[in-house]
Amino acid sequence: MKITFPHIGNTYLPIKAMFDDLGVETVLPPPNTKKTLEIGTKYAPELMCLPMKINLGNYIQSIEKGADTIVVTGSCGPCRYGYFAEVEKEILKDLGYDGVEFVVLEAPEGNLQEFYHRVSKVANTRNMIKIGKSVKNAIQVLRRLDRIEENVLKSRPYEKNKGQIDLINNQLISRLERSSGSQEMIKHIDVAQQSLQQVALESNKEVLKVGIVGEIYTVIEDFANIHIGKKLNEMGVEVHKSHTTGDWILEHLCYKSIGRSREKHIRKAAQPYVTTQVGGHGRETIGNTVLYAEDGYDGIIQVMPFTCMPEIVAMSILPHVQKDKNIPILTLIIDEMTGEAGYLTRLEAYIDLLRNRREKDTNEKMLSWY
């Protein structure tokens, strides 16, 4: 058995760590590129959203490298993500890959035994202690990687020697891909974290702060959002992403399984605008936008795939949040036809607007003293 899985940010690394610990061979899908998207777009239904097309490209590239089993997470509610595995299975069968098996790890929602049963099917072991330990260690790797990315997006605009943070981060990813097992990965991550803390920063430099909200895949996967975090950092903007895979896994694997939630404050923030689940992360988009505005961020950018139903609902509500909270919101809709040049032009214009707005506010405060 050779396991593969889709790309979503750096999540493939802790998944690899988990299967390494379980003694299962993995096939890492090649990094997402235009070729990956072209493959997925060729075979996926035209109106399916960008994440599915990239995922399908991941699977086909991995199968060509020898993978015979695909592990994916499940979904629920009014979002097409829940159909991805079934649709992709039929597409691969039509392409002659009918021997490939899908293992869908549905969110436990209180049924941890079923979750571990599905992992045991892949790991070919019923040793629940071993499985539990490997899952726990993989989450440790994932949480540390989330903190690394958060640190990078926060610190990169301030670095004195441009490119130093990217060098540390790129070297870390390269070492993790060559590593075997969670403990080796954790050591590399801890060393990288110490290196990042030693990077010289211009602490007095004034930068803008922008929050990224939207559909979870396009927020986390940099290829899908055309590397929005790095582009904004290079414009002198501090960035914070509203979603991480670590938070998602902890919420669904741990907290909801015991009847609790760490996202109540997000739902509460969204309450004046949306009172029910609208699928995907539509309600979270509204709630996080409100929280970013209340935390003093200069602007919010919503990123979403074309035809994403939950985010279309959120997009229709965001103008009301923008008016009530007095914060500029930019929506970027992305599909396989999105051109990077036009995308970059919109970002630059938006950042200019935010700078002019901050300068105007500063001048008004200065004049108010007279």
Side-chain angles (χ1 to χ4, degrees):
M1 180 183 290
K2 293 184 178 180
I3 304 292
T4 194
F5 27 83
H7 271 296
I8 175 169
N10 291 327
T11 311
Y12 69 102
L13 294 166
I15 296 175
K16 177 184 181 300
M18 181 180 75
F19 287 122
D20 284 348
D21 290 349
L22 290 169
V24 179
E25 185 176 356
T26 58
V27 176
L28 293 182
N32 287 333
T33 62
K34 188 176 288 187
K35 181 181 178 181
T36 309
L37 181 55
E38 287 173 353
I39 293 171
T41 302
K42 182 178 180 180
Y43 298 115
E46 182 181 359
L47 292 180
M48 285 303 285
C49 55
L50 187 73
M52 180 188 163
K53 293 173 182 177
I54 298 175
N55 287 175
L56 185 60
N58 290 154
Y59 302 150
I60 292 173
Q61 287 181 310
S62 295
I63 291 168
E64 291 174 351
K65 291 175 63 179
D68 55 29
T69 304
I70 297 168
V71 177
V72 295
T73 57
S75 179
C76 59
C79 172
R80 285 173 295 180
Y81 180 70
Y83 296 102
F84 278 17
E86 293 303 318
V87 175
E88 289 160 345
K89 191 186 301 182
E90 292 302 315
I91 292 171
L92 292 177
K93 185 177 179 180
D94 290 342
L95 293 174
Y97 301 125
D98 49 342
V100 176
E101 184 176 0
F102 272 79
V103 177
V104 182
L105 301 178
E106 299 286 358
E109 304 295 351
N111 191 353
L112 279 173
Q113 187 174 358
E114 174 61 21
F115 175 81
Y116 282 118
H117 171 71
R118 297 193 183 203
V119 174
S120 71
K121 180 180 178 181
V122 179
N124 197 27
T125 178
R126 292 194 173 277
N127 186 334
M128 293 297 118
I129 296 176
K130 184 177 180 180
I131 292 172
K133 185 176 180 180
S134 68
V135 171
K136 180 181 177 182
N137 289 342
I139 291 174
Q140 289 271 350
V141 173
L142 181 56
R143 296 293 287 168
R144 280 172 161 83
L145 279 173
D146 286 345
R147 286 196 289 270
I148 288 280
E149 182 181 23
E150 185 176 347
N151 194 353
V152 167
L153 292 173
K154 181 178 181 179
S155 302
R156 192 156 44 194
Y158 299 94
E159 64 179 336
K160 291 182 179 179
N161 302 312
K162 298 298 180 184
Q164 192 175 357
I165 289 177
D166 280 343
L167 179 62
I168 294 170
N169 193 47
N170 293 339
Q171 287 177 342
L172 170 63
I173 300 303
S174 179
R175 286 171 183 148
L176 294 178
E177 289 179 347
R178 297 194 304 268
S179 297
S180 178
S182 57
Q183 295 309 308
E184 188 176 343
M185 285 193 182
I186 288 172
K187 288 178 183 177
H188 287 311
I189 294 170
D190 289 345
V191 170
Q193 186 68 63
Q194 291 173 7
S195 298
L196 286 172
Q197 291 172 355
Q198 295 170 6
V199 172
L201 303 176
E202 299 178 52
S203 56
N204 295 325
K205 184 177 180 180
E206 282 196 19
V207 301
L208 297 169
K209 289 179 68 176
V210 168
I212 308 295
V213 301
E215 187 272 329
I216 188 170
Y217 186 91
T218 44
V219 169
I220 294 172
E221 174 53 46
D222 287 334
F223 173 78
N225 61 47
I226 320 184
H227 300 275
I228 189 171
K230 185 173 182 180
K231 284 180 169 60
L232 289 171
N233 283 166
E234 290 170 349
M235 295 178 194
V237 178
E238 183 181 322
V239 175
H240 188 273
K241 292 182 176 182
S242 59
H243 296 302
T244 70
T245 43
D247 285 340
W248 187 90
I249 287 173
L250 283 175
E251 176 71 9
H252 292 276
L253 181 60
C254 301
Y255 290 95
K256 282 194 174 181
S257 295
I258 58 174
R260 299 178 63 185
S261 173
R262 299 200 312 165
E263 296 181 351
K264 286 183 179 179
H265 67 295
I266 299 174
R267 292 194 290 272
K268 183 178 179 181
Q271 192 75 22
Y273 305 96
V274 55
T275 58
T276 187
Q277 174 64 273
V278 296
H281 288 85
R283 181 164 58 175
E284 287 78 1
T285 291
I286 301 303
N288 282 313
T289 298
V290 171
L291 293 174
Y292 280 136
E294 292 176 351
D295 284 345
Y297 277 67
D298 295 284
I300 313 293
I301 298 177
Q302 178 197 24
V303 291
M304 56 176 280
F306 180 61
T307 77
C308 177
M309 296 178 289
E311 291 303 320
I312 289 172
V313 173
M315 183 174 65
S316 69
I317 298 170
L318 285 175
H320 301 285
V321 183
Q322 177 175 265
K323 181 180 178 182
D324 292 347
K325 300 299 179 180
N326 190 29
I327 187 167
I329 301 172
L330 172 68
T331 295
L332 296 174
I333 303 174
I334 305 170
D335 67 3
E336 64 273 15
M337 303 299 291
T338 299
E340 188 167 346
Y343 177 97
L344 186 58
T345 299
R346 291 189 67 193
L347 276 183
E348 289 171 341
Y350 179 69
I351 297 309
D352 283 344
L353 179 150
L354 296 185
R355 285 206 174 92
N356 292 336
R357 191 168 182 268
R358 179 185 277 194
E359 185 177 339
K360 179 182 176 182
D361 289 345
T362 301
N363 290 338
E364 287 177 352
K365 287 177 183 177
M366 291 176 64
L367 288 170
S368 68
W369 284 91
Y370 292 96

Short mmCIF file of all heavy atoms in Angstrom, two decimals, residues 226-262:
data_model
loop_
_atom_site.label_atom_id
_atom_site.label_comp_id
_atom_site.label_asym_id
_atom_site.label_seq_id
_atom_site.Cartn_x
_atom_site.Cartn_y
_atom_site.Cartn_z
N ILE A 226 -2.56 32.47 -5.08
CA ILE A 226 -1.47 33.14 -5.81
C ILE A 226 -0.51 33.83 -4.83
O ILE A 226 -0.10 34.96 -5.03
CB ILE A 226 -1.98 34.11 -6.89
CG1 ILE A 226 -3.19 33.50 -7.62
CG2 ILE A 226 -0.91 34.44 -7.91
CD1 ILE A 226 -3.74 34.31 -8.76
N HIS A 227 -0.22 33.13 -3.73
CA HIS A 227 0.76 33.57 -2.73
C HIS A 227 0.45 34.98 -2.21
O HIS A 227 1.32 35.84 -2.13
CB HIS A 227 2.18 33.52 -3.33
CG HIS A 227 2.58 32.14 -3.77
ND1 HIS A 227 3.12 31.21 -2.92
CD2 HIS A 227 2.47 31.52 -4.98
CE1 HIS A 227 3.36 30.08 -3.57
NE2 HIS A 227 2.97 30.24 -4.82
N ILE A 228 -0.80 35.16 -1.80
CA ILE A 228 -1.24 36.48 -1.36
C ILE A 228 -0.47 36.96 -0.13
O ILE A 228 -0.16 38.14 0.00
CB ILE A 228 -2.76 36.49 -1.10
CG1 ILE A 228 -3.24 37.92 -0.85
CG2 ILE A 228 -3.13 35.58 0.06
CD1 ILE A 228 -4.76 38.05 -0.81
N GLY A 229 -0.15 36.05 0.79
CA GLY A 229 0.56 36.45 2.00
C GLY A 229 1.91 37.05 1.69
O GLY A 229 2.27 38.12 2.20
N LYS A 230 2.69 36.37 0.85
CA LYS A 230 4.02 36.87 0.50
C LYS A 230 3.93 38.17 -0.28
O LYS A 230 4.71 39.10 -0.05
CB LYS A 230 4.77 35.82 -0.30
CG LYS A 230 6.22 36.22 -0.59
CD LYS A 230 7.01 35.10 -1.23
CE LYS A 230 8.46 35.54 -1.47
NZ LYS A 230 9.26 34.48 -2.10
N LYS A 231 2.98 38.25 -1.20
CA LYS A 231 2.84 39.47 -2.00
C LYS A 231 2.51 40.68 -1.10
O LYS A 231 3.07 41.77 -1.29
CB LYS A 231 1.76 39.28 -3.07
CG LYS A 231 2.23 38.44 -4.26
CD LYS A 231 1.11 38.29 -5.28
CE LYS A 231 1.64 37.70 -6.58
NZ LYS A 231 2.24 36.38 -6.44
N LEU A 232 1.63 40.48 -0.15
CA LEU A 232 1.28 41.58 0.76
C LEU A 232 2.47 41.93 1.65
O LEU A 232 2.73 43.11 1.92
CB LEU A 232 0.07 41.20 1.60
CG LEU A 232 -1.27 41.14 0.87
CD1 LEU A 232 -2.35 40.54 1.75
CD2 LEU A 232 -1.69 42.53 0.40
N ASN A 233 3.19 40.92 2.15
CA ASN A 233 4.40 41.18 2.95
C ASN A 233 5.38 42.04 2.17
O ASN A 233 5.98 42.97 2.72
CB ASN A 233 5.07 39.86 3.33
CG ASN A 233 4.39 39.12 4.47
OD1 ASN A 233 4.66 37.95 4.71
ND2 ASN A 233 3.50 39.79 5.19
N GLU A 234 5.57 41.73 0.89
CA GLU A 234 6.51 42.49 0.06
C GLU A 234 6.05 43.92 -0.18
O GLU A 234 6.85 44.79 -0.51
CB GLU A 234 6.72 41.76 -1.27
CG GLU A 234 7.50 40.46 -1.13
CD GLU A 234 7.51 39.62 -2.39
OE1 GLU A 234 6.72 39.94 -3.33
OE2 GLU A 234 8.30 38.65 -2.46
N MET A 235 4.74 44.17 0.01
CA MET A 235 4.21 45.53 -0.09
C MET A 235 4.28 46.26 1.25
O MET A 235 3.80 47.39 1.38
CB MET A 235 2.74 45.50 -0.56
CG MET A 235 2.54 44.96 -1.96
SD MET A 235 0.77 44.92 -2.38
CE MET A 235 0.79 43.89 -3.84
N GLY A 236 4.86 45.60 2.25
CA GLY A 236 4.96 46.20 3.57
C GLY A 236 3.72 46.04 4.40
O GLY A 236 3.35 46.94 5.17
N VAL A 237 3.08 44.88 4.29
CA VAL A 237 1.83 44.62 5.01
C VAL A 237 1.98 43.39 5.89
O VAL A 237 2.43 42.33 5.43
CB VAL A 237 0.66 44.40 4.02
CG1 VAL A 237 -0.63 44.09 4.77
CG2 VAL A 237 0.48 45.62 3.12
N GLU A 238 1.62 43.53 7.15
CA GLU A 238 1.58 42.39 8.07
C GLU A 238 0.28 41.63 7.83
O GLU A 238 -0.79 42.23 7.71
CB GLU A 238 1.64 42.90 9.51
CG GLU A 238 1.69 41.82 10.56
CD GLU A 238 1.73 42.40 11.97
OE1 GLU A 238 2.40 43.43 12.18
OE2 GLU A 238 1.06 41.82 12.85
N VAL A 239 0.37 40.31 7.75
CA VAL A 239 -0.78 39.49 7.34
C VAL A 239 -1.12 38.46 8.42
O VAL A 239 -0.23 37.89 9.04
CB VAL A 239 -0.46 38.76 6.01
CG1 VAL A 239 -1.61 37.80 5.64
CG2 VAL A 239 -0.22 39.77 4.89
N HIS A 240 -2.42 38.24 8.59
CA HIS A 240 -2.87 37.15 9.46
C HIS A 240 -3.97 36.39 8.74
O HIS A 240 -4.94 36.98 8.25
CB HIS A 240 -3.40 37.67 10.80
CG HIS A 240 -3.69 36.57 11.77
ND1 HIS A 240 -4.91 35.92 11.82
CD2 HIS A 240 -2.92 35.97 12.72
CE1 HIS A 240 -4.89 34.99 12.76
NE2 HIS A 240 -3.69 35.00 13.33
N LYS A 241 -3.82 35.05 8.66
CA LYS A 241 -4.83 34.21 8.03
C LYS A 241 -5.82 33.73 9.08
O LYS A 241 -5.43 33.29 10.16
CB LYS A 241 -4.18 33.01 7.35
CG LYS A 241 -3.33 33.37 6.13
CD LYS A 241 -2.76 32.11 5.47
CE LYS A 241 -1.99 32.44 4.21
NZ LYS A 241 -1.46 31.20 3.55
N SER A 242 -7.10 33.76 8.74
CA SER A 242 -8.14 33.38 9.70
C SER A 242 -8.25 31.88 9.89
O SER A 242 -8.84 31.42 10.87
CB SER A 242 -9.49 33.93 9.23
OG SER A 242 -9.82 33.42 7.95
N HIS A 243 -7.71 31.10 8.94
CA HIS A 243 -7.81 29.64 9.03
C HIS A 243 -6.44 28.99 9.07
O HIS A 243 -5.51 29.44 8.39
CB HIS A 243 -8.55 29.07 7.82
CG HIS A 243 -9.97 29.47 7.70
ND1 HIS A 243 -10.91 29.24 8.68
CD2 HIS A 243 -10.63 30.12 6.69
CE1 HIS A 243 -12.08 29.71 8.28
NE2 HIS A 243 -11.93 30.24 7.09
N THR A 244 -6.32 27.94 9.85
CA THR A 244 -5.17 27.04 9.78
C THR A 244 -5.72 25.62 9.84
O THR A 244 -6.78 25.39 10.43
CB THR A 244 -4.17 27.24 10.94
OG1 THR A 244 -4.79 26.79 12.17
CG2 THR A 244 -3.74 28.70 11.08
N THR A 245 -5.01 24.69 9.24
CA THR A 245 -5.47 23.30 9.31
C THR A 245 -5.37 22.76 10.74
O THR A 245 -6.17 21.92 11.15
CB THR A 245 -4.66 22.40 8.35
OG1 THR A 245 -3.28 22.73 8.45
CG2 THR A 245 -5.13 22.57 6.93
N GLY A 246 -4.40 23.27 11.50
CA GLY A 246 -4.27 22.85 12.89
C GLY A 246 -5.51 23.18 13.70
O GLY A 246 -6.03 22.35 14.45
N ASP A 247 -6.03 24.40 13.53
CA ASP A 247 -7.25 24.80 14.23
C ASP A 247 -8.44 23.95 13.79
O ASP A 247 -9.27 23.55 14.60
CB ASP A 247 -7.54 26.28 13.97
CG ASP A 247 -6.61 27.20 14.75
OD1 ASP A 247 -6.01 26.74 15.74
OD2 ASP A 247 -6.46 28.37 14.35
N TRP A 248 -8.51 23.70 12.47
CA TRP A 248 -9.64 22.91 11.95
C TRP A 248 -9.63 21.51 12.54
O TRP A 248 -10.66 21.00 12.98
CB TRP A 248 -9.56 22.84 10.42
CG TRP A 248 -10.77 22.20 9.80
CD1 TRP A 248 -11.91 22.82 9.38
CD2 TRP A 248 -10.97 20.79 9.54
NE1 TRP A 248 -12.81 21.89 8.88
CE2 TRP A 248 -12.25 20.64 8.96
CE3 TRP A 248 -10.18 19.66 9.74
CZ2 TRP A 248 -12.75 19.41 8.57
CZ3 TRP A 248 -10.68 18.42 9.36
CH2 TRP A 248 -11.96 18.30 8.78
N ILE A 249 -8.46 20.87 12.55
CA ILE A 249 -8.35 19.50 13.07
C ILE A 249 -8.65 19.45 14.56
O ILE A 249 -9.39 18.59 15.04
CB ILE A 249 -6.96 18.93 12.76
CG1 ILE A 249 -6.85 18.60 11.27
CG2 ILE A 249 -6.69 17.67 13.59
CD1 ILE A 249 -5.48 18.18 10.81
N LEU A 250 -8.11 20.40 15.33
CA LEU A 250 -8.38 20.41 16.76
C LEU A 250 -9.86 20.62 17.05
O LEU A 250 -10.44 20.00 17.95
CB LEU A 250 -7.55 21.49 17.45
CG LEU A 250 -6.08 21.16 17.68
CD1 LEU A 250 -5.35 22.37 18.25
CD2 LEU A 250 -5.92 19.96 18.61
N GLU A 251 -10.49 21.51 16.26
CA GLU A 251 -11.91 21.78 16.45
C GLU A 251 -12.76 20.54 16.21
O GLU A 251 -13.63 20.19 17.01
CB GLU A 251 -12.35 22.92 15.52
CG GLU A 251 -13.84 23.26 15.56
CD GLU A 251 -14.29 23.93 16.84
OE1 GLU A 251 -13.43 24.31 17.66
OE2 GLU A 251 -15.50 24.06 17.04
N HIS A 252 -12.50 19.85 15.09
CA HIS A 252 -13.37 18.73 14.70
C HIS A 252 -12.94 17.40 15.30
O HIS A 252 -13.79 16.54 15.57
CB HIS A 252 -13.41 18.63 13.17
CG HIS A 252 -14.11 19.78 12.52
ND1 HIS A 252 -15.47 19.83 12.38
CD2 HIS A 252 -13.64 20.95 12.02
CE1 HIS A 252 -15.82 20.97 11.80
NE2 HIS A 252 -14.72 21.66 11.57
N LEU A 253 -11.64 17.22 15.50
CA LEU A 253 -11.16 15.94 16.02
C LEU A 253 -11.23 15.89 17.54
O LEU A 253 -11.53 14.84 18.11
CB LEU A 253 -9.72 15.70 15.56
CG LEU A 253 -9.05 14.39 16.00
CD1 LEU A 253 -9.84 13.21 15.47
CD2 LEU A 253 -7.61 14.33 15.51
N CYS A 254 -10.97 17.03 18.16
CA CYS A 254 -10.88 17.04 19.63
C CYS A 254 -12.10 17.69 20.30
O CYS A 254 -12.88 17.03 20.98
CB CYS A 254 -9.60 17.75 20.07
SG CYS A 254 -8.09 16.98 19.43
N TYR A 255 -12.27 19.00 20.06
CA TYR A 255 -13.24 19.75 20.85
C TYR A 255 -14.70 19.34 20.56
O TYR A 255 -15.49 19.14 21.48
CB TYR A 255 -13.04 21.25 20.65
CG TYR A 255 -11.77 21.74 21.30
CD1 TYR A 255 -10.60 21.86 20.57
CD2 TYR A 255 -11.73 22.03 22.66
CE1 TYR A 255 -9.41 22.28 21.16
CE2 TYR A 255 -10.56 22.45 23.27
CZ TYR A 255 -9.40 22.57 22.51
OH TYR A 255 -8.23 22.97 23.11
N LYS A 256 -15.06 19.22 19.28
CA LYS A 256 -16.44 18.84 18.97
C LYS A 256 -16.74 17.41 19.40
O LYS A 256 -17.89 17.07 19.64
CB LYS A 256 -16.71 19.02 17.47
CG LYS A 256 -16.96 20.47 17.08
CD LYS A 256 -17.54 20.59 15.70
CE LYS A 256 -17.92 22.03 15.40
NZ LYS A 256 -18.51 22.18 14.05
N SER A 257 -15.68 16.59 19.48
CA SER A 257 -15.88 15.21 19.89
C SER A 257 -16.28 15.09 21.35
O SER A 257 -16.83 14.08 21.78
CB SER A 257 -14.59 14.40 19.64
OG SER A 257 -14.32 14.32 18.27
N ILE A 258 -16.00 16.15 22.12
CA ILE A 258 -16.39 16.13 23.54
C ILE A 258 -17.47 17.19 23.81
O ILE A 258 -17.69 17.60 24.94
CB ILE A 258 -15.17 16.35 24.46
CG1 ILE A 258 -14.46 17.68 24.15
CG2 ILE A 258 -14.21 15.20 24.36
CD1 ILE A 258 -13.33 18.01 25.11
N GLY A 259 -18.12 17.63 22.71
CA GLY A 259 -19.24 18.54 22.85
C GLY A 259 -18.87 19.97 23.15
O GLY A 259 -19.70 20.73 23.64
N ARG A 260 -17.65 20.34 22.81
CA ARG A 260 -17.21 21.72 23.05
C ARG A 260 -16.77 22.35 21.73
O ARG A 260 -16.68 21.68 20.70
CB ARG A 260 -16.06 21.76 24.06
CG ARG A 260 -16.44 21.20 25.42
CD ARG A 260 -15.26 21.21 26.37
NE ARG A 260 -14.79 22.56 26.64
CZ ARG A 260 -13.69 22.85 27.36
NH1 ARG A 260 -12.97 21.87 27.86
NH2 ARG A 260 -13.34 24.10 27.57
N SER A 261 -16.48 23.64 21.76
CA SER A 261 -16.02 24.33 20.56
C SER A 261 -15.16 25.51 20.94
O SER A 261 -15.44 26.21 21.92
CB SER A 261 -17.22 24.82 19.73
OG SER A 261 -16.77 25.62 18.66
N ARG A 262 -14.10 25.73 20.16
CA ARG A 262 -13.25 26.91 20.38
C ARG A 262 -13.65 28.05 19.46
O ARG A 262 -13.01 29.08 19.45
CB ARG A 262 -11.78 26.54 20.13
CG ARG A 262 -11.24 25.46 21.03
CD ARG A 262 -9.73 25.47 21.09
NE ARG A 262 -9.13 25.55 19.78
CZ ARG A 262 -7.85 25.86 19.54
NH1 ARG A 262 -7.05 26.13 20.55
NH2 ARG A 262 -7.37 25.90 18.33
#
